[in-house]
Each structure stands twice: as structure tokens, then as C-alpha cells.
Amino acid sequence: MTKSWNDIIPKPKKNRYRLLIYIALILVYIWAFAGIPYSGIKETAGQVSKSILAGLFSPDWGYVYLPDGEDLLRGLLDTLAISVLGTFISTIICIPFAFWSAVNMSRGKVISGSGKIFLSLIRTFPEVVMAILFIKAVGPGSFAGVLALGLHSVGMLGKLFADEVENIDNGPLEALMAVGASRLQILWFAVIPQVLPGFLSYTLYRFELNLRSATILGIIGAGGIGTPLIFALSTRNWDRVGIILLGIIIMITTIDLISGTLRKKLV
Amino acid sequence: MKAQVESSQQTLRPKAPGKIKHYFTVAIVILLLWGSAVQTEATFGELIQGLPNMLDLLKEMLPPKWGYLSKIWSAMLETIRMALLGTTFGAIMAVPIALLSASNIARHKWIYYPVRFILNLIRTIPDLLLAALFVAIFGLGALPGILALAFFSLGVIAKLTYEALETIDPGPLEAMTAAGAHPLQIIKFGVVPQIKPHFISFLLYTFEINVRAAAVLGLVGAGGIGHYYEVTLGFLEYDKTCMIIIVTLAVVLAIDYISSKLREKLL
């Protein structure tokens, strides 16, 4: 009995491709590091980051509410409004797309497949670029942001909705079909009640994401809190940067909490 | 007899749930939408007025200027590099933070709650905002982009990883504790083998998101292809913008495809 453990327990099999993967990874990283032009950190970097931190800890409280015009509260309200409307528009638009791309709702895999490809195409289109295009169409302002969010979210919401539709229980559908219900009646009494909680939960989730996007749309001129932020950054008004960042963080955290509780109740 | 059956059926059938709550919810949603529309000054009239502009824009975008590809190719590669390095640095930073915020490994409330709180704060700041901040600190170029993506990835990967960590099998950990292993040994032999595939999958997923994000970071001066959106739109060269969009879509779709294939193999 002088067998060592190594003889009793077989060593795990080595993956034949492991070495190849490592070599490929190393090559990719060499390529990545070699391509980044390193010009050294600006000597003002430390000073600027100190000022931003100082601004975060001594925010410009006066900016929270100004009686005339642009202030933090109005900016945040604008951002909130953009994401509410954007989410609403995309929820309405994406429902037909969801049914189109759900395998169990349309005839044949070709139709549903084409719907899925279409949705993923919309999804890959960056929302900021979409916002730029809408600014060209309807002029700068919140409305362009609403349209950009509304169209961009269709891609992701449509896919999530389609997954929800694919997961429904077929029993009620068959029962209704057996008693001779029309397609619309089947949809209304068997499909909608099953998918509604899921749809609402995903809509709320998308609303959280849209709120984050809405805070940055202003950077390119599509309304919301981003516009005063980019102004404050370019004029090096760090106290104001601080209060705006603080406002964004508080708003997003609060909305996440509310929406999270609502979503838990739904599902 | 018949009346008796009917009345017993009526008592057997459960009462329909009250609808007041639903009406109340619908009323709140409508109020929210109306308020948002007022706040953003969104009207259908404006949209219809803007539609011809959009169509003109689309006409000018087609056909895309294929020759522009050679000029933007290096910027596209820089975008991929930024995403790759940002994801890598973020993932490296995420390891200790995920370990510290998992309740079954950090074990003390005083450790994991504060760490999670900081993690939540990081996640509330959108990537483009981070990029704008880092550009203010470090100046124009790819470096602020990489840092912004690294921070953003840190938030995403650390959260996904600590949630996965909390669901690992405690058996091996207990066995090693019983055998008197050092905490670092427990992590190396008990935790790492269980979490590794998940971690790599999260990393790939974040990389997909980061390629999309990196494509627009240039808008705030953080390197990559995004810079060209501004340039071409500023000079009203929409055929070139269209080319950039096409290249971005192609690269994003290709990376999504490769990464999702790899992730399927992992899990």
C-alpha cells in the first residue's frame, strides 16, 4: 500500500486547445497594449481630480433650486420625463415586434427569425448616435432624447417580451381554440393575462436603464441634466459638477429602489 | 332545484379581485405620461413636422461612402482595444471587490455592506459621464476612455460575480476550513474552481457591452470611432456617418456572435 494519491486519483484531462488559447490571448493583449499611445498623464491631473473630489464634498447647494430657469431640480425632472416618455413609446412599439419574433406566435421559424434579427439590429445601434440623428430632425432638446430612447429600447424590450411570449403555457390557448374562440379572443383571454406581469416587470427594468441613458443624452444636446453637466465640466465649475453628480446618483438610486420593489411585487 | 344549483355555483365561484387598484395605477401612469409630455414639450405635431427632415437625412445618408472605410479603420481598432483593456482592468479590480462583497466569504456585515454600497454608487454613474469626467482630468485620448470603461466594468462584473459567489456550494469550503486551510488557500482551491467559468462568462458579456459603449465615447473626447461621428455630422457629410454606423454595427455584431459562442461553451 505505497500508492500515492496521484496514482489513485486521475489528474483532470488537459484541454488540447488550452495552450493555443493562451497564445492567442497573449497576442491579443500585446496588440492592444502596443496600440495605445501613452503620452503621459497631464501634470494638472492630480489637481483637477482633487478639485472634482472637493466639489463632490462641498457641492454648490445654491444650484439645487434657482427661481429663474435652469437648475438642478428642473434638469433632473426633465431627465425623468425623457425616460418616462421614451420607455412608454418603446413599450407600445415593441409589442407587435415581440409577437412577430416569438416562435410560437408566428408561422414558421423564418418569420420569427427575421423578427429577431431586426430587433438585434436596432439594439446594436447606439442610442447616442440615434439621438444625434433625431436632433438633426426635430432640433436639439428633450424631444430628440425621447425619440432616441423610445426607438433604441425597442430592440432590447422586444427581445425580452418575445422571450416572455415564448414561455407561456399552451393549455389555456388550446382550451380556447377548442371552444372556437377567434384569434383575437385567444390573444386577449389566454395570452395577455399570462404575459402582462412579465411585460410590466421588463418595462420597469428598461425604465431604470433609460434613466441612466437620459442623464447622458444632454452631453450631445438632447435635453436633460447632461447639458448643464457638460457646461460645468468645460467651464471647470467643480462645485457645480459635484452637485449635479450628487443629484444624478441620488435620483438613480431612488428610482432603482422604487422600481425594484415594484418589480418584486409583479413577478 | 335549478335555482339552488345556480346559487351554490355563485357562492363557489371566487369573487373577482377588486379593480380599484388597477384603475388607480392606470390613472397614475397617465398622469406621469402627461406630466412628462408637458415637461419635455413633446408633441406629435413636432414629430410630423420633423419627419420630412428625417427622410432628407436618410436620403443624404445613402449610399454610404465606402472609401471612407480606410480612414476610420484604425479608429475602429482603437475602439476595440479600448474595450478590451477597459474590460481587463475592470475585471482585475473586480476580483477582490467581489470577494469582499460576498456574504459567504467576507462573513462580516461590516465588510460586505460598505463594499456593496460603494459598488452600487459606481454602478449609478453612466459610462459616458465617467468618460466626460476622466477627459476633464486626463485630457483627450484613449486613456480616459479606458479608465471610464474599467470603472464601469468593475461595477458590472463585481456585482454579477458576488451574486454568483453567494450561490456556490459551501461543502468544499467547509471541508477545507475543517482541515485548517488558510483563507487564501480556501479561495484558491475552494472558491476559484467553482466561480471561474461564471467569471469568464461575465467578462465576455461585459466586453460585448463595452464595445458598444466604446464606440460612442469619442463624442466626449475619449478616443475611438465616436470622434468621427461628431466630425462627419458637423461637416454635414452624412454619407460618411452612414459608413461609420455600418462599420460599428458590423464589428459589434461580429464580437457579439463570437462572444456568445464562447459563453455557450463555458456554461
Side-chain angles (χ1 to χ4, degrees):
Chain A
M1 278 301 282
T2 49
K3 265 186 172 176
S4 86
W5 283 108
N6 288 335
D7 300 325
I8 303 166
I9 301 171
K11 280 210 164 173
K13 253 195 205 163
K14 284 248 164 161
N15 191 336
R16 278 181 301 154
Y17 299 109
R18 179 161 286 195
L19 194 69
L20 265 174
I21 292 173
Y22 282 144
I23 291 174
L25 260 183
I26 289 170
L27 284 178
V28 165
Y29 275 106
I30 288 175
W31 168 76
F33 274 105
I36 295 298
Y38 184 72
S39 50
I41 296 171
K42 274 206 307 190
E43 55 264 43
T44 52
Q47 198 196 331
V48 175
S49 37
K50 232 186 254 166
S51 326
I52 291 182
L53 274 181
L56 263 176
F57 288 112
S58 67
D60 176 8
W61 292 110
Y63 182 63
V64 173
Y65 180 76
L66 299 172
D68 49 335
E70 302 286 302
D71 58 11
L72 181 69
L73 283 180
R74 256 168 267 193
L76 290 180
L77 205 64
D78 207 20
T79 307
L80 205 61
I82 292 174
S83 45
V84 167
L85 274 189
T87 313
F88 178 71
I89 292 176
S90 57
T91 311
I92 300 290
I93 300 179
C94 82
I95 288 175
F97 284 110
F99 282 102
W100 172 20
S101 57
V103 173
N104 53 350
M105 286 295 135
S106 42
R107 269 175 238 280
K109 270 201 164 167
V110 184
I111 296 175
S112 68
S114 67
K116 283 197 170 120
I117 290 172
F118 183 75
L119 285 177
S120 66
L121 266 180
I122 299 180
R123 216 163 43 236
T124 49
F125 209 89
E127 57 215 310
V128 182
V129 176
M130 231 173 229
I132 293 177
L133 294 179
F134 276 117
I135 286 175
K136 297 276 166 194
V138 298
S142 315
F143 192 40
V146 169
L147 293 177
L149 281 189
L151 217 61
H152 175 81
S153 330
V154 168
M156 182 191 146
L157 265 187
K159 182 190 179 280
L160 291 172
F161 279 21
D163 288 348
E164 188 72 28
V165 172
E166 280 175 7
N167 283 334
I168 60 171
D169 178 10
N170 266 330
L173 268 83
E174 280 162 14
L176 277 178
M177 234 180 272
V179 296
S182 71
R183 276 184 79 93
L184 246 156
Q185 281 172 322
I186 294 175
L187 202 67
W188 186 249
F189 291 107
V191 181
I192 298 286
Q194 286 194 58
V195 294
L196 203 59
F199 277 17
L200 287 176
S201 161
Y202 287 133
T203 306
L204 277 172
Y205 174 59
R206 189 63 225 184
F207 172 62
E208 291 171 31
L209 294 182
N210 276 349
L211 189 67
R212 283 179 171 72
S213 309
T215 57
I216 57 171
L217 284 176
I219 291 179
I220 50 147
I225 192 71
T227 320
L229 179 78
I230 203 83
F231 275 134
L233 273 174
S234 56
T235 54
R236 302 180 170 268
N237 192 345
W238 304 125
D239 296 355
R240 185 160 289 184
V241 172
I243 187 79
I244 294 176
L245 279 180
L246 217 60
I248 291 176
I249 290 173
I250 291 172
M251 176 179 68
I252 291 182
T253 315
T254 320
I255 296 284
D256 276 9
L257 280 178
I258 297 173
S259 144
T261 341
L262 284 178
R263 276 198 282 146
K264 255 184 212 150
K265 273 195 181 169
L266 278 171
V267 179
Chain B
M1 185 64 196
K2 204 182 167 197
Q4 203 181 352
V5 169
E6 256 175 27
S7 73
S8 72
Q9 267 177 351
Q10 261 167 7
T11 47
L12 272 177
R13 183 184 290 169
K15 253 193 179 170
K19 291 216 165 142
I20 297 171
K21 213 171 149 192
H22 293 275
Y23 293 138
F24 193 62
T25 317
V26 169
I28 286 181
V29 169
I30 289 174
L31 213 67
L32 259 178
L33 285 173
W34 179 72
S36 307
V38 170
Q39 177 72 25
T40 55
E41 291 161 8
T43 52
F44 274 104
E46 214 176 323
L47 181 63
I48 291 163
Q49 267 179 12
L51 268 182
N53 290 350
M54 288 274 294
L55 287 181
D56 286 346
L57 193 70
L58 280 179
K59 256 184 233 156
E60 280 180 59
M61 283 174 85
L62 297 170
K65 192 167 186 174
W66 299 105
Y68 198 52
L69 180 66
S70 57
K71 211 176 161 199
I72 54 173
W73 192 240
S74 63
M76 195 65 232
L77 289 181
E78 190 183 44
T79 300
I80 300 174
R81 268 191 207 113
M82 279 164 53
L84 188 72
L85 292 181
T87 316
T88 313
F89 291 135
I92 293 170
M93 289 192 289
V95 173
I97 294 192
L99 288 173
L100 283 177
S101 48
S103 61
N104 54 345
I105 293 167
R107 285 185 194 278
H108 291 286
K109 264 187 199 164
W110 296 108
I111 301 175
Y112 63 81
Y113 276 123
V115 177
R116 276 187 206 179
F117 179 70
I118 295 169
L119 207 57
N120 283 337
L121 280 191
I122 292 175
R123 268 207 324 282
T124 52
I125 308 178
D127 42 11
L128 206 60
L129 250 183
L130 277 174
L133 276 180
F134 282 121
V135 166
I137 296 174
F138 296 107
L140 302 176
L143 186 66
I146 294 172
L147 284 177
L149 290 178
F151 256 87
F152 176 74
S153 323
L154 164 70
V156 178
I157 299 178
K159 168 156 203 259
L160 291 171
T161 311
Y162 97 67
E163 281 175 353
L165 272 174
E166 290 190 336
T167 60
I168 62 173
D169 178 10
L173 310 187
E174 278 165 18
M176 289 183 73
T177 316
H182 188 265
L184 281 178
Q185 284 175 321
I186 296 180
I187 289 174
K188 189 177 172 203
F189 297 105
V191 178
V192 171
Q194 289 194 59
I195 200 73
K196 207 163 101 189
H198 295 277
F199 183 75
I200 298 175
S201 156
F202 299 147
L203 199 144
L204 282 169
Y205 169 68
T206 315
F207 179 57
E208 281 173 42
I209 302 175
N210 278 348
V211 173
R212 282 194 188 124
V216 293
L217 286 184
L219 281 169
V220 293
I225 190 101
H227 172 61
Y228 288 88
Y229 282 118
E230 247 188 333
V231 174
T232 53
L233 285 168
F235 290 122
L236 309 176
E237 296 167 318
Y238 296 119
D239 48 348
K240 288 184 179 174
T241 313
C242 184
M243 190 63 227
I244 303 174
I245 293 174
I246 291 173
V247 174
T248 314
L249 282 185
V251 168
V252 168
L253 283 178
I255 286 180
D256 275 11
Y257 179 76
I258 298 170
S259 151
S260 63
K261 281 280 162 245
L262 283 176
R263 275 198 284 150
E264 262 169 34
K265 277 200 178 163
L266 277 170
L267 292 179

